[in-house]
């Protein structure tokens, strides 16, 4: 009888920790300041609002001011090409985030060169793990984004405690074969 009760207790604990490894979509509170650094890049993002499932930021990237739209909390865009790419992804289908969630979409965008490009993109919630960055240690969902026609991939570590990515890696579009890593360097919550 004790072993049945113990088994039931262990099953309940396991089920509780599995359900704890899901996250509903939300953006950080307006006024939150997130600072990222890595590989010669510095970004200061101030949350200015939300448009449905798009988090809105005023961003200063290596001294250049931009309006940053982060679709589904994961895929950022600062121009028409990025916006077109992000809108081609069904990011809502990944939420609530849970290991194993996956989407595959074919996206067509016009590149900066004026040519049309089509790619099949797969985004998979691969793991729920602890990641340490200069701003601290966070439990985060590792979401991997890959293109069918490329060996490179983007990886986002989205932390529920921050409601944003605390680390990202992506191919350097300027130097083929190189990967850029951006870590959350500091976090200043919105004033209450």
């Amino acid at each position: 009888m004790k072993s049945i009760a113990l088994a039931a207790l262990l099953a309940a604990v396991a089920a509780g920790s599995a359900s704890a490894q899901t996250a509903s979509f939300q953006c950080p509170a307006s006024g939150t300041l997130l600072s990222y650094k890595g590989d010669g890049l510095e970004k200061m993002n101030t949350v200015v609002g939300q448009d449905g499932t798009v988090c809105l930021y005023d961003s200063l990237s290596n001294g250049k001011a931009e309006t940053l739209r982060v679709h589904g909390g994961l895929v950022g865009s600062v121009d028409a090409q990025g916006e077109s790419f992000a809108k081609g992804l069904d990011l809502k289908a990944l939420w609530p985030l849970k290991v194993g969630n996956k989407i595959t979409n074919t996206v067509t965008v016009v590149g900066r060169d004026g040519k049309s490009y089509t790619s099949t993109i797969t985004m998979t919630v691969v793991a729920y793990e602890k990641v340490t960055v200069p701003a601290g240690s966070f439990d985060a969902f590792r979401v991997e984004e890959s293109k069918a026609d490329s060996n490179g991939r983007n990886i986002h570590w989205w932390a529920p405690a921050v409601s944003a990515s605390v680390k990202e890696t992506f191919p350097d579009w300027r130097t083929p074969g190189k990967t850029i890593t951006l870590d959350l360097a500091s976090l200043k919550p919105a004033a209450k």
Side-chain angles (χ1 to χ4, degrees), residues 41-62:
L41 296 175
E42 289 189 30
K43 277 185 129 179
M44 299 275 293
N45 293 341
T46 303
V47 182
V48 294
Q50 182 173 337
D51 179 11
T53 57
V54 179
C55 303
L56 307 172
Y57 297 88
D58 282 339
S59 181
L60 190 60
S61 182
N62 281 358

Side-chain angles (χ1 to χ4, degrees), residues 118-122 145-154 170-171 177:
T118 301
S119 294
T120 299
I121 310 298
T122 299
E145 173 187 342
S146 60
K147 294 180 183 176
D149 55 351
S150 171
N151 290 333
R153 61 187 171 155
N154 296 357
F170 48 92

Side-chain angles (χ1 to χ4, degrees), residues 12-158:
V13 168
S17 73
S19 66
Q21 293 180 3
T22 63
S24 296
F25 174 79
Q26 63 182 25
C27 295
S30 287
T32 300
L33 177 63
L34 301 109
S35 172
Y36 296 88
K37 290 185 181 180
D39 296 319
L41 296 175
E42 289 189 30
K43 277 185 129 179
M44 299 275 293
N45 293 341
T46 303
V47 182
V48 294
Q50 182 173 337
D51 179 11
T53 57
V54 179
C55 303
L56 307 172
Y57 297 88
D58 282 339
S59 181
L60 190 60
S61 182
N62 281 358
K64 180 181 177 189
E66 300 173 312
T67 299
L68 176 63
R69 295 172 51 85
V70 181
H71 294 257
L74 297 165
V75 179
S77 68
V78 295
D79 57 22
Q81 291 82 16
E83 193 69 7
S84 176
F85 174 81
K87 284 183 176 179
L89 299 172
D90 182 16
L91 295 168
K92 290 179 187 177
L94 283 177
W95 295 92
L97 288 184
K98 180 176 132 183
V99 174
N101 284 6
K102 179 178 181 176
I103 62 166
T104 299
N105 299 120
T106 299
V107 177
T108 301
V109 298
V110 175
R112 289 184 178 95
D113 59 4
K115 295 180 183 177
S116 183
Y117 295 91
T118 301
S119 294
T120 299
I121 310 298
T122 299
M123 293 186 73
T124 307
V125 183
V126 175
Y128 184 72
E129 59 196 11
K130 187 161 294 290
V131 62
T132 300
V133 294
S137 291
F138 300 90
D139 291 323
F141 290 91
R142 187 174 81 226
V143 181
E144 297 187 4
E145 173 187 342
S146 60
K147 294 180 183 176
D149 55 351
S150 171
N151 290 333
R153 61 187 171 155
N154 296 357
I155 303 174
H156 315 267
W157 283 266
W158 192 90

Side-chain angles (χ1 to χ4, degrees), residues 172-185:
D172 185 344
W173 61 95
R174 301 161 299 185
T175 310
K178 182 181 175 194
T179 299
I180 293 174
T181 299
L182 277 180
D183 292 324
L184 183 65

